[in-house]
Amino acid sequence: MNKLPDAMSEDMYWTLSQLVNRRANLKTHHIRLKNQLHEQVCVAYPSYKQFFQDIGRPTALYFWEHYPSPRLLRGKTVEELAEELIPVSHNQFSTRKCQIILDAVKADGDTTRDYQPERDEITRGLVKDVRHYVEQLEAVDKSIADFLPRFECPLNTIPGVSDTTVAKLLSEIGDIRRFPNADKVANFAGIAPVNFSSAGKGDDKHSKQGNRRLQGTIYFLAIQMIQLSSKGLPRNPAFYAYYQRQLARGKTKPQALILISRRLISIIYGMLKNKTEYVMPKVQDNLG
């Protein structure tokens, strides 16, 4: 492994890695701010999840900015609130949802605390910070999307693989030509299954060595491959069938996902090496 060339030797891959790192940092701060906003909002609106499942959605942020505490809703009718929130939500909100808000506020009772105006300003400030990070995330996502065509990479033809995932993979793998085969990539990522007992009867587990960021990205991709839609249809029928076969053979779910991860490494290696698009295999095409 020490003989591998530097993955970031080319400016193109180095730049992509910096975009990926920036996105990861922005995401971390964004989540932290949303958690802080939750700490403020759940005191003023204990039942807020009845009407806003995601505290950081645009309509929710508008609401917290204008009504950081229920005292500012006093005298507000359902119709007035609906007239305000429905346009903000691009008609995704409804009068019925506004009624739910007012009913929940009434059921919660008086949640006003000492120094409520100061508390409200904290909430408004957090809303502005969350919006700022959302804008920054959108900007870096656009930069990644605009930059990726330079790599002529076909990985986004795999169902469920976003530009963000492609960028993460490329930034860690680098130029695929530095790896002579898929086994080397698997070893580099620490994804090659390792058996921890004799006669092959032990547990197949991830190696504790290797590139942990690449390993995590591939493992998450393996989970996506076996996900089912709301209609119960698998995203990738071939991988889902392979997963079910491994479970039937006595493998645990994590063990089966490790095996899928290794299969994905081979597919990714071939696609990058040959610049070929992904072809969905038929279920009857045995994956092993």
Side-chain angles (χ1 to χ4, degrees), residues 216-282:
T217 301
I218 294 290
Y219 192 78
F220 178 72
L221 183 56
I223 293 173
Q224 290 183 301
M225 290 299 99
I226 63 169
Q227 283 181 337
L228 300 176
S229 70
S230 58
K231 297 181 180 180
L233 300 175
R235 170 173 281 165
N236 190 309
F239 268 116
Y240 185 76
Y242 174 74
Y243 175 72
Q244 294 299 326
R245 287 198 299 274
Q246 295 305 319
L247 295 182
R249 292 171 182 172
K251 297 290 186 182
T252 65
K253 292 180 180 180
Q255 289 170 348
L257 286 169
I258 291 171
L259 295 173
I260 290 175
S261 297
R262 180 60 186 85
R263 298 272 175 172
L264 282 169
I265 285 288
S266 294
I267 292 171
I268 290 169
Y269 179 83
M271 291 175 67
L272 291 177
K273 191 80 171 180
N274 302 309
K275 301 289 185 182
T276 52
E277 295 187 355
Y278 182 75
V279 177
M280 180 72 75
K282 297 180 181 178

Side-chain angles (χ1 to χ4, degrees), residues 147-164:
F147 195 57
L148 278 179
R150 298 170 183 260
F151 296 86
E152 299 180 351
C153 173
L155 293 182
N156 57 8
T157 60
I158 302 175
V161 175
S162 65
D163 285 345
T164 301

Side-chain angles (χ1 to χ4, degrees), residues 33 44 51 59 65 88 98 123 129 132-133 158 192 201 213 219 226-227 236 238 252 257 262 272 275:
L33 286 166
F51 43 91
T59 307
E65 182 179 27
V88 173
C98 294
T123 299
D129 289 344
H132 171 73
Y133 276 95
I158 302 175
K201 295 182 179 179
R213 292 185 297 271
Y219 192 78
I226 63 169
Q227 283 181 337
N236 190 309
T252 65
L257 286 169
R262 180 60 186 85
L272 291 177
K275 301 289 185 182

Side-chain angles (χ1 to χ4, degrees), residues 17-284:
S17 74
Q18 295 305 297
L19 286 170
V20 169
N21 290 339
R22 173 160 172 73
R23 189 185 190 282
N25 289 331
L26 288 170
K27 195 68 177 177
T28 297
H29 288 301
H30 180 233
I31 293 171
R32 177 177 55 81
L33 286 166
K34 285 177 66 175
N35 288 337
Q36 291 179 10
L37 181 59
H38 165 76
E39 291 175 2
Q40 295 297 320
V41 168
C42 69
V43 174
Y45 294 93
S47 303
Y48 83 82
K49 289 193 175 181
Q50 292 184 23
F51 43 91
F52 290 126
Q53 289 294 320
D54 186 346
I55 198 172
R57 297 286 293 174
T59 307
L61 292 177
Y62 175 92
F63 184 83
W64 307 135
E65 182 179 27
H66 290 80
Y67 306 103
S69 61
R71 69 189 181 93
L72 300 170
L73 277 172
R74 289 171 188 162
K76 203 79 170 178
T77 67
V78 173
E79 290 74 22
E80 289 172 338
L81 191 59
E83 185 178 356
E84 191 174 351
L85 294 183
I86 289 176
V88 173
S89 69
H90 301 289
N91 296 319
Q92 297 300 307
F93 226 62
S94 66
T95 301
R96 185 182 68 83
K97 184 63 72 70
C98 294
Q99 182 67 64
I100 291 174
I101 292 176
L102 296 181
D103 288 346
V105 168
K106 183 177 179 180
D108 286 339
D110 186 8
T111 61
T112 303
R113 298 290 189 270
D114 292 338
Y115 314 110
Q116 192 62 58
E118 289 77 12
R119 291 171 180 261
D120 291 349
E121 283 308 307
I122 292 172
T123 299
R124 290 190 178 103
L126 287 169
V127 167
K128 292 178 182 178
D129 289 344
V130 169
R131 282 204 184 108
H132 171 73
Y133 276 95
V134 168
E135 291 172 358
Q136 293 296 305
L137 279 167
E138 290 174 349
V140 77
D141 281 345
K142 184 178 185 305
S143 293
I144 288 173
D146 291 344
F147 195 57
L148 278 179
R150 298 170 183 260
F151 296 86
E152 299 180 351
C153 173
L155 293 182
N156 57 8
T157 60
I158 302 175
V161 175
S162 65
D163 285 345
T164 301
T165 301
V166 173
K168 288 180 179 179
L169 291 169
L170 290 178
S171 67
E172 298 301 334
I173 293 173
D175 190 338
I176 196 64
R177 292 173 296 181
R178 70 196 191 103
F179 296 98
N181 52 56
D183 287 340
K184 294 296 185 182
V185 180
N187 288 331
F188 174 68
I191 287 177
V194 177
N195 192 278
F196 287 92
S197 69
S198 60
K201 295 182 179 179
D203 292 337
D204 291 324
K205 299 180 179 179
H206 279 307
S207 169
K208 292 184 179 181
Q209 299 179 350
N211 185 313
R212 303 302 292 272
R213 292 185 297 271
L214 180 57
Q215 182 183 116
T217 301
I218 294 290
Y219 192 78
F220 178 72
L221 183 56
I223 293 173
Q224 290 183 301
M225 290 299 99
I226 63 169
Q227 283 181 337
L228 300 176
S229 70
S230 58
K231 297 181 180 180
L233 300 175
R235 170 173 281 165
N236 190 309
F239 268 116
Y240 185 76
Y242 174 74
Y243 175 72
Q244 294 299 326
R245 287 198 299 274
Q246 295 305 319
L247 295 182
R249 292 171 182 172
K251 297 290 186 182
T252 65
K253 292 180 180 180
Q255 289 170 348
L257 286 169
I258 291 171
L259 295 173
I260 290 175
S261 297
R262 180 60 186 85
R263 298 272 175 172
L264 282 169
I265 285 288
S266 294
I267 292 171
I268 290 169
Y269 179 83
M271 291 175 67
L272 291 177
K273 191 80 171 180
N274 302 309
K275 301 289 185 182
T276 52
E277 295 187 355
Y278 182 75
V279 177
M280 180 72 75
K282 297 180 181 178
V283 175
Q284 57 263 36

